[in-house]
Amino acid sequence: MPATKKRRFTIFKWVGVSLLILFAVLAGIAWFLNVKSRPLLTQQIKTLLYNSTDSLYTITFTKVSTNIFTGSATLQDVKITADTTRYNQLVALKRAPNNLYTVSLKKLAVKHFHPITLYREKKLQIDEILFDNPEVYMVNRQLDFNENRAPKPIKSPYTFISKSLKEFSIKKILFRDASFNYVNKNVNKFDIFSIDDFNITLVDLLVDSTSFEDSTRIYLLKDVLLNLKNYDYATPDSMYNIKLNQLDFTASTGKLSVNKFALEPKYDEMKFGKVAGYSKDRFNILMNDIALNGINLPLYISKQELRAKEMDIANGYITVFNDNSLPNREKESRIGKYPHQLLQNIPAPVLIDKIKLKDIDISYAVYNEESQQRGRISFEHTAGEISNVTNIENVKAKKPVMQADLSTYLLGQGKLDLNFKFDLVSRVGDFSYSGILQNFNARVLNQITKPLGLVRINRGNVNRLRFNFKADDFGSKGNVDFSYFDLSVALMKNDPEKDHLVTRGLLSILANALIINSENPGPDGKFISATVDYHRPQNTSFFNLIWKSLFIGIKHSVGITEEKQRVMKAHIDNFKAMKASHDLRKKKRLERRKQRERQLKKDQL
């Protein structure tokens, strides 16, 4: 071999050997650090959690695996539990939190924990911790000494870790597909709420000498993100399913968005009441877009108190159906169940400054046994604003009225403007309601007057319907001003042979001639204003009260008064007497004719 080639071979040989030696040294160092980091990381995690939670929580796991090249670790069979003895001590010291947690899962993944930085700078910096399919058990007990405390630990966790660490930070903590159970211990009978497939992301946790005083952080976090998809829950009475397509919440903005919330009945309209066993309202609700803005997350976490600046509800519908051919629960009182009274009965404190509605369709339908048809009234494209929605005592003391200003279209045609004022502190459910309905063809009301009232409106035009009522648990009092012209009606009855409603000709003629005012104001220019004093049956609903009050006022305005009804009854009685006399004379003539025919046949024989 030439000398030059020999020298080149010797150089390559030593370079290769040197690289192999260097690789072996690096591999040995990596193996050493990898093995040595396990007990250190294990101890750091356990000590960190224990110290930073004021000795309240401990973490256990069966095994920890680390990888020095990727800076990752995996903990097996993880369980985070609270020490109840220590919790009672913290209660006595007035340092205990309102919530206690238990978290368990098969595997916890730690990604990129930067061991060199931990060794050299005493900074445990982790890019991500993943809790995959954890089971989270949360118990809430509201403690008086936690009232009005800032959204941060009572004492800085840095004081507990400063001897061993200068900083502890995690960029992201992910709870993926979590099973979440919430127990409310603030009531006599513990309520348990469960939810599955829940995702939580905790953003930028930082424990150092400055983070405790950072007012932009929530419990030392920069943000909290919540996500829930395809939630399906059966109501306790087994009559409905609650469905939710997607929920997202961002704590830094206080915004919660819900896509497609639905309350779906499990049975069709005619079967629902039969399953319930009585005439029961059947609700079907879908809201495609719901958003809450300005939610105070720390307040909700500590006290389950929901406070939000604004709630937007858009693009949806509410349909209600009742089969009145079924028996009523006459003994079941609905006193105390107006909307503002039900709000006061919600166990959790609620304050929403403003609720905005947009493009909501509301309909109410009833199956009438006499007509064997459905009557339906609808309020379409409903929009407006509801303010001061609350059940919090100190808020009600300052602002005792919840107000709703709404606009809608009756049966998709007549524009109806409504105002409600609900007294939030009244013991008898005081509220008032007023409205104006303008310019629509009265024939559209046949959707409800024919099946429910057995009255068909042949023609008629409404200029304006104005009403103003004050109401409480026991009834309503107010005025109805109904301005219309060219009104004509027909009275109907069910004909079993023809299987549909037919016109009662003579009664219709009498009704139009003797009872119905074809216009208001009348030909003499006199306007009929109706004064209503309606006494509410205890088993009737909020909507029934409003409908009945208006119906009484409308009946009076069109001339259906007790006096006119007595006149019409007298005419009907006279007509029946005349008809009976006519039928009797006809019968006698027929008998005389038959008698003559029999006599003629006898004479011929």
Side-chain angles (χ1 to χ4, degrees), residues 518-537:
S518 62
E519 57 188 7
N520 190 26
D524 58 359
K526 185 178 179 181
F527 183 80
I528 299 175
S529 180
T531 299
V532 178
D533 186 357
Y534 172 64
H535 297 277
R536 173 200 182 195

Side-chain angles (χ1 to χ4, degrees), residues 303-405:
K303 297 176 62 178
Q304 278 63 64
E305 185 170 313
L306 176 60
R307 294 201 183 208
K309 293 180 179 178
E310 185 175 297
M311 182 176 186
D312 298 313
I313 304 175
N315 304 318
Y317 61 78
I318 302 172
T319 64
V320 186
F321 176 80
N322 190 292
D323 180 1
N324 72 2
S325 67
L326 298 172
N328 291 318
R329 280 191 170 182
E330 295 182 357
K331 295 182 180 180
E332 182 184 33
S333 174
R334 303 184 78 169
I335 297 296
K337 295 185 179 181
Y338 289 153
H340 59 308
Q341 294 173 314
L342 294 174
L343 173 64
Q344 306 313 305
N345 292 331
I346 295 176
V350 175
L351 171 59
I352 303 176
D353 293 335
K354 188 184 299 181
I355 298 178
K356 289 185 176 181
L357 304 177
K358 182 181 178 182
D359 202 17
I360 307 297
D361 292 338
I362 304 168
S363 69
Y364 184 78
V366 177
Y367 177 79
N368 185 14
E369 185 175 21
E370 184 177 359
S371 66
Q372 297 184 9
Q373 292 186 6
R374 289 176 174 85
R376 176 181 173 273
I377 188 168
S378 66
F379 303 90
E380 300 176 18
H381 307 295
T382 303
E385 187 175 291
I386 307 171
S387 60
N388 195 41
V389 181
T390 186
N391 60 4
I392 300 174
E393 293 299 329
N394 61 346
V395 177
K396 292 190 297 181
K398 297 177 182 177
K399 296 177 65 177
V401 175
M402 178 175 74
Q403 181 165 319
D405 294 292

